[in-house]
Amino acid sequence: MEHNIHEDCGVALIRLLKPLSYYQKKYGSWKWGLGKLYLMMEKQHNRGQEGAGIASVKLNTKPGHEYMFRERAEGANAITEIFGAANRQIRQVMKEEEVDTEAYDELPFAGELYMGHLRYSTTGKSGVKYVHPFLRRNNWKAKNLCICGNFNMTNVEEVFKDLTKQGQCPRIYSDTYITLELMGHRLDREVERNFVNAKQRGLHDTDITRFIDQHVRMENVLKTTMNHFDGGYVMCGITGSGEMFAMRDPHGIRPAFWYKNDEVVVLASERPVLQTTFDLEYEDIHELTPGSALLVRANGESLEKQILPEDENYKCSFEHIYFSRGSDKDIYRERKQLGEQLTPQVLDAVGGDTAHTVISFIPNTAEVAYYGLLEGFKNYQREQDINSILTLGHQPNYEEMKTILSRNVRSEKVAWKDIKLRTFITEGTARDDLAAHVYDVTYGSIEPYKDNLVIIDDSIVRGTTLRKSILHILDRLHPKKIVIVSSAPQIRYPDYYGIDMPSLEEFCVFRATIALIHDRGMDQLIHDTYKACKAELEKPLKEMHNRVRDIYAPFTVEDINRKIVEMLKPDDMKTPVDIVYQSLDGLHRAIPENRGDWYFSGHYPTPGGKRMCIQAFINYYESVYGKSNLGI
C-alpha cells in the first residue's frame, strides 16, 4: 500500500569455466556471460532502482592491457545505461559482425568473471561515488579488489577508527568503502604472505607473480576482515588475479543462492533469478550457508567454506513477506498462508457476514496474500454450506441445494494505481489533494451501504498513504465498513541491516503507542524509557538490552490497532474502519525458516542493531523533549 520500505540491494556473480571461444561456438556469442549478467540484474530489478553497476575481470592478459572493467550509473534506468555503455566500448574495438576471440586482449568486458549490483540506499547518501561496485587498484593483479554487497553494517564508526589507528586515511565514510579498505588491507597482507613463501622457494620475477596468483586464499582475507563487522550482509568480490567470492553473515540475515555446472558458477540474491536465467529446477540451487563463503579460485575450482561460525537463525522474514520475487516456490506458498491464516480475524471484523463482504488488495505485492485470504474465506464458506445441508434434516431438493451452494465468496479489483502524479509541482493542501488521487476505484464493484470492503496489504509502515489517499478513495464506494488487513505484524522498530525503513517516530504503530501513553496519563513511561536507554549505552555492547520495547509493554495489539484507526481515519470520513494485523506467532507459522523478526519484535540479531535502536529512541526523545528534560 505504501512504497516506504525500499527493497534490499541485489547482487549477481558469474564465473565462466570455459574459454570464451566455447560460448561463441555453443551459444553463438562470446558475450554469453555478459548477457546472462544482464538477465540476472533485470530479474532483480525490484531490489534496487537508485543505481546499478557491473564489473568484469579477464584472465591471462598481457602486460599493458586492461583486465578489470567497471561501469556504474544512477537512476531507475541504470541497468540499461551501464550495459549500453559496455556495448559501446565493445563496438569501438570491433563491429558486432566481426567479433571473435582473437582480439581478446583488446575487448572491453570480454572477461571470465562478472559481477553486478543493484542499489537502494539505506543511508540517504546519493551520487555515483556511492554506487557499487567499489574498486581498489594496484599494479599487482592479485591486489586489485572490486566489491559489492547487499548489506548494512552497524559498527562502521569502530572499524573506521581501527583503520585510521593503523595509519590509513579512507577517502569516503561509508560502510562499503570502509569494507573495501579493510579487505584491501588484508588482501595486501595475503599477497605479501605468498610473496615471502615464493622467495623462500627460490622463485624470482614473474615466477613469483604466478605463484602469488595461484596461491592467494580469499578465505584468509575474509576471516580477518568480516570478523570485524556487525551487521547483515552478502559481501561479493572479484580480484584482478581471478578470485571470486561471496560471503553471507553468520545469522543469514541477507539471502544468497548459488549454482554450479561444468560451464559456470553463479550466485544471486534470489533463487528464481537463477532458475529463470539458467533454466534450472528448484532442487538444482543451493542456499549459501550463513557464515560461509562461496569461493571460486583463479583456476575455476569452487567450494563453499565456513568462514565464521554459523549463528542463530535470523534470516530476514521481510524478504519473504515483501522484497523477494513471489515466483519462488517457498515464498509463494508462505505468502498465501500469511493471508489464509488471517481468515478468523477478518471474519470477526465483518461479523461473519460473508454474503455482504468483498475482498480485494492494494498494492500488487499483496496479491498472493490476497489469494490466501480468499481461499480461507472459501474454505469457511464451504464448511458453512455443509453444515446448512446437514441441518436440513432431510435430503435437500434442487432449490434448497441451489440456494445453499450459490453463496459465493466475493472478490473484486476495487482499487487501481493511477498515473504517477507529479505532486512536487504543488504545495500545501493542493499537494495533498493530488496525492489523494494516486489511486482510483472500480465504481459499482460493491453494493453501497450494504457490503463490507476488505483490503489486504503486505505491510503498513507510516500510514500516510492510507490517510491521504486509500481511505478517501475507498470511501467513494460507500461501503458499510472498511477492513484494512496487513499480512505482516505491526512494524514497531527500525531495521539496520539493509532495509531502508523510516526512523522510529515515522512508524504509525509507534506514533499510536505514544498517543495512547499521553491519553492514559502515562507520560512518565516515556521519560523512564529515555533514562533506561541512556543507561544501556553505558554498558558494554554485548550486555545492552533493548529498552525501547518497554514503550509497547502496557498495551495489547488491539489497543494499538484502535488508536491507529483513530489517527489514520480522515476527519470527514463516516464509514467505519477496522484494521487487522498478522500476529508474530502467525508470521513464524507461515515462514518457519526465516526467523528474523526484529522490526516487529525488537529482538535484534546483533549487538550493533540493538544499540542503534536504543539510540533512535534517545534521538526521538531529545528532539521532542530536549536533552535536559528528564521528566522528573
Side-chain angles (χ1 to χ4, degrees), residues 204-211:
H204 301 281
D205 302 327
T206 56
D207 289 337
I208 293 178
T209 302
R210 280 191 292 271
F211 179 88

mmCIF file with all atom_site columns, all heavy atoms in Angstrom, residues 204-211:
data_model
loop_
_atom_site.group_PDB
_atom_site.id
_atom_site.type_symbol
_atom_site.label_atom_id
_atom_site.label_alt_id
_atom_site.label_comp_id
_atom_site.label_asym_id
_atom_site.label_entity_id
_atom_site.label_seq_id
_atom_site.pdbx_PDB_ins_code
_atom_site.Cartn_x
_atom_site.Cartn_y
_atom_site.Cartn_z
_atom_site.occupancy
_atom_site.B_iso_or_equiv
_atom_site.pdbx_formal_charge
_atom_site.auth_seq_id
_atom_site.auth_comp_id
_atom_site.auth_asym_id
_atom_site.auth_atom_id
_atom_site.pdbx_PDB_model_num
ATOM 1  N N   . HIS A 1 204 ? 61.797 -16.241 -8.620  1.00 0.00 ? 204 HIS A N   1
ATOM 2  C CA  . HIS A 1 204 ? 62.205 -14.880 -8.956  1.00 0.00 ? 204 HIS A CA  1
ATOM 3  C C   . HIS A 1 204 ? 61.234 -14.288 -9.983  1.00 0.00 ? 204 HIS A C   1
ATOM 4  O O   . HIS A 1 204 ? 60.577 -14.996 -10.745 1.00 0.00 ? 204 HIS A O   1
ATOM 5  C CB  . HIS A 1 204 ? 63.630 -14.857 -9.537  1.00 0.00 ? 204 HIS A CB  1
ATOM 6  C CG  . HIS A 1 204 ? 64.670 -15.406 -8.614  1.00 0.00 ? 204 HIS A CG  1
ATOM 7  N ND1 . HIS A 1 204 ? 65.195 -14.679 -7.565  1.00 0.00 ? 204 HIS A ND1 1
ATOM 8  C CD2 . HIS A 1 204 ? 65.266 -16.634 -8.568  1.00 0.00 ? 204 HIS A CD2 1
ATOM 9  C CE1 . HIS A 1 204 ? 66.084 -15.426 -6.922  1.00 0.00 ? 204 HIS A CE1 1
ATOM 10 N NE2 . HIS A 1 204 ? 66.150 -16.612 -7.516  1.00 0.00 ? 204 HIS A NE2 1
ATOM 11 N N   . ASP A 1 205 ? 61.157 -12.950 -9.972  1.00 0.00 ? 205 ASP A N   1
ATOM 12 C CA  . ASP A 1 205 ? 60.466 -12.167 -11.003 1.00 0.00 ? 205 ASP A CA  1
ATOM 13 C C   . ASP A 1 205 ? 59.039 -12.669 -11.276 1.00 0.00 ? 205 ASP A C   1
ATOM 14 O O   . ASP A 1 205 ? 58.267 -12.835 -10.349 1.00 0.00 ? 205 ASP A O   1
ATOM 15 C CB  . ASP A 1 205 ? 61.308 -12.162 -12.288 1.00 0.00 ? 205 ASP A CB  1
ATOM 16 C CG  . ASP A 1 205 ? 62.698 -11.593 -12.044 1.00 0.00 ? 205 ASP A CG  1
ATOM 17 O OD1 . ASP A 1 205 ? 62.805 -10.690 -11.176 1.00 0.00 ? 205 ASP A OD1 1
ATOM 18 O OD2 . ASP A 1 205 ? 63.642 -12.042 -12.703 1.00 0.00 ? 205 ASP A OD2 1
ATOM 19 N N   . THR A 1 206 ? 58.741 -12.950 -12.547 1.00 0.00 ? 206 THR A N   1
ATOM 20 C CA  . THR A 1 206 ? 57.358 -13.312 -12.891 1.00 0.00 ? 206 THR A CA  1
ATOM 21 C C   . THR A 1 206 ? 56.940 -14.658 -12.314 1.00 0.00 ? 206 THR A C   1
ATOM 22 O O   . THR A 1 206 ? 55.745 -14.929 -12.178 1.00 0.00 ? 206 THR A O   1
ATOM 23 C CB  . THR A 1 206 ? 57.163 -13.326 -14.420 1.00 0.00 ? 206 THR A CB  1
ATOM 24 O OG1 . THR A 1 206 ? 58.109 -14.224 -15.004 1.00 0.00 ? 206 THR A OG1 1
ATOM 25 C CG2 . THR A 1 206 ? 57.334 -11.926 -15.001 1.00 0.00 ? 206 THR A CG2 1
ATOM 26 N N   . ASP A 1 207 ? 57.915 -15.495 -11.974 1.00 0.00 ? 207 ASP A N   1
ATOM 27 C CA  . ASP A 1 207 ? 57.556 -16.760 -11.328 1.00 0.00 ? 207 ASP A CA  1
ATOM 28 C C   . ASP A 1 207 ? 56.931 -16.491 -9.958  1.00 0.00 ? 207 ASP A C   1
ATOM 29 O O   . ASP A 1 207 ? 56.036 -17.220 -9.515  1.00 0.00 ? 207 ASP A O   1
ATOM 30 C CB  . ASP A 1 207 ? 58.791 -17.647 -11.168 1.00 0.00 ? 207 ASP A CB  1
ATOM 31 C CG  . ASP A 1 207 ? 59.282 -18.209 -12.496 1.00 0.00 ? 207 ASP A CG  1
ATOM 32 O OD1 . ASP A 1 207 ? 58.450 -18.288 -13.429 1.00 0.00 ? 207 ASP A OD1 1
ATOM 33 O OD2 . ASP A 1 207 ? 60.462 -18.556 -12.590 1.00 0.00 ? 207 ASP A OD2 1
ATOM 34 N N   . ILE A 1 208 ? 57.409 -15.453 -9.286  1.00 0.00 ? 208 ILE A N   1
ATOM 35 C CA  . ILE A 1 208 ? 56.820 -15.056 -8.002  1.00 0.00 ? 208 ILE A CA  1
ATOM 36 C C   . ILE A 1 208 ? 55.382 -14.597 -8.217  1.00 0.00 ? 208 ILE A C   1
ATOM 37 O O   . ILE A 1 208 ? 54.472 -14.974 -7.464  1.00 0.00 ? 208 ILE A O   1
ATOM 38 C CB  . ILE A 1 208 ? 57.647 -13.930 -7.345  1.00 0.00 ? 208 ILE A CB  1
ATOM 39 C CG1 . ILE A 1 208 ? 59.022 -14.459 -6.940  1.00 0.00 ? 208 ILE A CG1 1
ATOM 40 C CG2 . ILE A 1 208 ? 56.903 -13.350 -6.140  1.00 0.00 ? 208 ILE A CG2 1
ATOM 41 C CD1 . ILE A 1 208 ? 59.921 -13.411 -6.325  1.00 0.00 ? 208 ILE A CD1 1
ATOM 42 N N   . THR A 1 209 ? 55.164 -13.801 -9.250  1.00 0.00 ? 209 THR A N   1
ATOM 43 C CA  . THR A 1 209 ? 53.815 -13.308 -9.551  1.00 0.00 ? 209 THR A CA  1
ATOM 44 C C   . THR A 1 209 ? 52.856 -14.460 -9.808  1.00 0.00 ? 209 THR A C   1
ATOM 45 O O   . THR A 1 209 ? 51.735 -14.483 -9.289  1.00 0.00 ? 209 THR A O   1
ATOM 46 C CB  . THR A 1 209 ? 53.841 -12.372 -10.772 1.00 0.00 ? 209 THR A CB  1
ATOM 47 O OG1 . THR A 1 209 ? 54.727 -11.286 -10.504 1.00 0.00 ? 209 THR A OG1 1
ATOM 48 C CG2 . THR A 1 209 ? 52.445 -11.836 -11.065 1.00 0.00 ? 209 THR A CG2 1
ATOM 49 N N   . ARG A 1 210 ? 53.301 -15.420 -10.634 1.00 0.00 ? 210 ARG A N   1
ATOM 50 C CA  . ARG A 1 210 ? 52.444 -16.570 -10.925 1.00 0.00 ? 210 ARG A CA  1
ATOM 51 C C   . ARG A 1 210 ? 52.145 -17.370 -9.650  1.00 0.00 ? 210 ARG A C   1
ATOM 52 O O   . ARG A 1 210 ? 51.019 -17.835 -9.454  1.00 0.00 ? 210 ARG A O   1
ATOM 53 C CB  . ARG A 1 210 ? 53.097 -17.462 -11.988 1.00 0.00 ? 210 ARG A CB  1
ATOM 54 C CG  . ARG A 1 210 ? 52.920 -16.943 -13.404 1.00 0.00 ? 210 ARG A CG  1
ATOM 55 C CD  . ARG A 1 210 ? 53.336 -17.993 -14.427 1.00 0.00 ? 210 ARG A CD  1
ATOM 56 N NE  . ARG A 1 210 ? 54.788 -18.224 -14.395 1.00 0.00 ? 210 ARG A NE  1
ATOM 57 C CZ  . ARG A 1 210 ? 55.666 -17.524 -15.117 1.00 0.00 ? 210 ARG A CZ  1
ATOM 58 N NH1 . ARG A 1 210 ? 55.234 -16.556 -15.919 1.00 0.00 ? 210 ARG A NH1 1
ATOM 59 N NH2 . ARG A 1 210 ? 56.958 -17.799 -15.038 1.00 0.00 ? 210 ARG A NH2 1
ATOM 60 N N   . PHE A 1 211 ? 53.158 -17.528 -8.815  1.00 0.00 ? 211 PHE A N   1
ATOM 61 C CA  . PHE A 1 211 ? 52.957 -18.262 -7.561  1.00 0.00 ? 211 PHE A CA  1
ATOM 62 C C   . PHE A 1 211 ? 51.906 -17.557 -6.703  1.00 0.00 ? 211 PHE A C   1
ATOM 63 O O   . PHE A 1 211 ? 51.011 -18.211 -6.143  1.00 0.00 ? 211 PHE A O   1
ATOM 64 C CB  . PHE A 1 211 ? 54.284 -18.361 -6.801  1.00 0.00 ? 211 PHE A CB  1
ATOM 65 C CG  . PHE A 1 211 ? 54.169 -19.089 -5.494  1.00 0.00 ? 211 PHE A CG  1
ATOM 66 C CD1 . PHE A 1 211 ? 54.305 -20.460 -5.431  1.00 0.00 ? 211 PHE A CD1 1
ATOM 67 C CD2 . PHE A 1 211 ? 53.903 -18.391 -4.314  1.00 0.00 ? 211 PHE A CD2 1
ATOM 68 C CE1 . PHE A 1 211 ? 54.189 -21.138 -4.214  1.00 0.00 ? 211 PHE A CE1 1
ATOM 69 C CE2 . PHE A 1 211 ? 53.777 -19.054 -3.096  1.00 0.00 ? 211 PHE A CE2 1
ATOM 70 C CZ  . PHE A 1 211 ? 53.935 -20.430 -3.054  1.00 0.00 ? 211 PHE A CZ  1
#
